[in-house]
Amino acid sequence: MAPVSRPTGITTLVVTLIAITVPLLYWFASSYLITLSPHIVSLSSAVSKIFSNDIEDSSSTSPFICLPHTYTTEIISLEPLLIYIDSFLAPTEITALLEAGEPEFTPSQVYKRGRDQGTSDRTSSSAGLPRDNPAVQCVLARAGAFLGTMLDPSRDDIGPPQLVRYTAGQRFNRHHDWYKSPQPVRRGMLGRGKSWNRVASFFAILQDQCTGGETWFPFVNTTAPSKADKYGRQLWRKHEEGGLAFRPVSGNALFWVNLFANGTGDERTNHAGLPLEDGLKTATNIWPRKFYG
């Protein structure tokens, strides 16, 4: 049997010192960490916030991508031609268009006697949209494809779009989008010719958090019953003074032809933006231009 070795005096002393020192070190470290813990938590929170902000910033500044998009159409009237377009605008396009136009809103004007001027008939606000904006280009390309052969690409132009916004009580009384006679070409226009007119109109809704604010066509009628949205609300109704009134629905649009084949305006396209009862309505106008001469 092997002999059992006994601890020396030095070994006993070392073990005793360790047994005494370790609890003291643990107590000291614990106290120190408790003191630092609020600062550690604050530092962790700050780091998390920085990374979170970086993620948010990168998502909010991510470039707009024009994705393939589908929509459906329904002919409301042949004379005049008026088409209801369901889901003409995608949600991402609506967001991008609003961001592009938001800083530019000013009181709406009309073009009379050779110049833009304010009028009590139109009390909304308007904002021009930059044609070089990717979302604007995306929507204009879709509108151009919808028009087919209505525009001659060698001389006509889809025209710059415009945002229009209505708040409680605001309206646009009965009017038509076409001019009684073709207008002289203005500086900066992209079409080729000496004069031009608005051959057709798109009116697409971006924001519909409102009551009232329907688009009323007094001379447009249909025998087809109105369709309902996913909430069961009718998309249009028969107006008490005749014609049809279309409820604003975000993403949906109306398209109509303003001119006869001989270039004269169609009075049956007269329409109005009925007064908004409350809330906010924002839409975009696109007026394709036909050039002459």
Side-chain angles (χ1 to χ4, degrees):
M1 186 171 110
V4 178
S5 61
R6 298 180 180 277
T8 63
I10 294 175
T11 303
T12 302
L13 178 61
V14 169
V15 171
T16 303
L17 289 173
I18 291 174
I20 294 171
T21 305
V22 167
L24 290 174
L25 290 172
Y26 177 79
W27 175 85
F28 176 78
S30 299
S31 302
Y32 187 69
L33 288 173
I34 290 172
T35 303
L36 286 178
S37 62
H39 303 286
I40 294 173
V41 171
S42 298
L43 179 61
S44 174
S45 175
V47 172
S48 298
K49 187 174 182 181
I50 290 171
F51 280 103
S52 174
N53 287 339
D54 285 344
I55 293 172
E56 291 176 1
D57 290 344
S58 63
S59 63
S60 63
T61 58
S62 57
F64 174 84
I65 300 175
C66 186
L67 299 173
H69 180 71
T70 58
Y71 54 82
T72 59
T73 61
E74 181 172 0
I75 296 176
I76 304 298
S77 167
L78 285 174
E79 294 186 6
L81 179 61
L82 188 146
I83 299 175
Y84 192 91
I85 312 174
D86 191 290
S87 301
F88 183 69
L89 299 177
T92 54
E93 295 163 358
I94 291 174
T95 299
L97 293 177
L98 289 171
E99 289 178 353
E102 197 66 46
E104 306 300 326
F105 277 102
T106 58
S108 297
Q109 297 183 321
V110 297
Y111 193 75
K112 284 185 177 181
R113 302 179 185 90
R115 65 184 182 90
D116 292 321
Q117 54 186 290
T119 171
S120 59
D121 287 326
R122 190 184 189 193
T123 57
S124 58
S125 297
S126 301
L129 289 173
R131 294 181 67 145
D132 59 352
N133 179 279
V136 173
Q137 293 175 342
C138 181
V139 173
L140 290 182
R142 183 176 306 135
F146 185 93
L147 291 169
T149 60
M150 282 189 69
L151 296 185
D152 180 349
S154 68
R155 61 183 296 116
D156 299 329
D157 178 41
I158 191 69
Q162 177 195 74
L163 292 186
V164 59
R165 173 167 289 167
Y166 296 83
T167 57
Q170 293 185 333
R171 68 193 185 281
F172 194 173
N173 292 338
R174 286 171 56 168
H175 64 283
H176 48 71
D177 292 348
W178 47 270
Y179 297 100
K180 291 184 177 181
S181 59
Q183 298 295 294
V185 171
R186 305 173 200 167
R187 180 177 298 179
M189 287 187 169
L190 300 184
R192 296 177 57 191
K194 297 180 179 179
S195 61
W196 61 280
N197 210 338
R198 294 170 174 170
V199 65
S201 296
F202 291 87
F203 186 68
I205 304 297
L206 280 69
Q207 294 174 304
D208 62 358
Q209 300 87 4
C210 61
T211 56
E214 298 162 304
T215 303
W216 175 37
F217 285 81
F219 306 116
V220 171
N221 290 284
T222 183
T223 57
S226 171
K227 288 187 175 181
D229 64 12
K230 60 183 178 181
Y231 303 107
R233 299 173 299 185
Q234 298 300 303
L235 297 178
W236 64 82
R237 65 179 177 89
K238 290 187 176 181
H239 193 273
E240 52 273 15
E241 296 182 27
L244 300 177
F246 295 85
R247 184 170 59 84
V249 179
S250 180
N252 293 1
L254 290 169
F255 168 83
W256 62 94
V257 175
N258 289 316
L259 305 178
F260 290 111
N262 62 4
T264 59
D266 190 341
E267 292 283 355
R268 298 171 300 178
T269 62
N270 277 18
H271 57 285
L274 297 181
L276 209 70
E277 295 172 13
D278 59 60
L280 180 74
K281 166 186 159 185
T282 307
T284 183
N285 291 303
I286 302 173
W287 296 299
R289 295 168 172 173
K290 195 76 176 173
F291 284 76
Y292 309 99

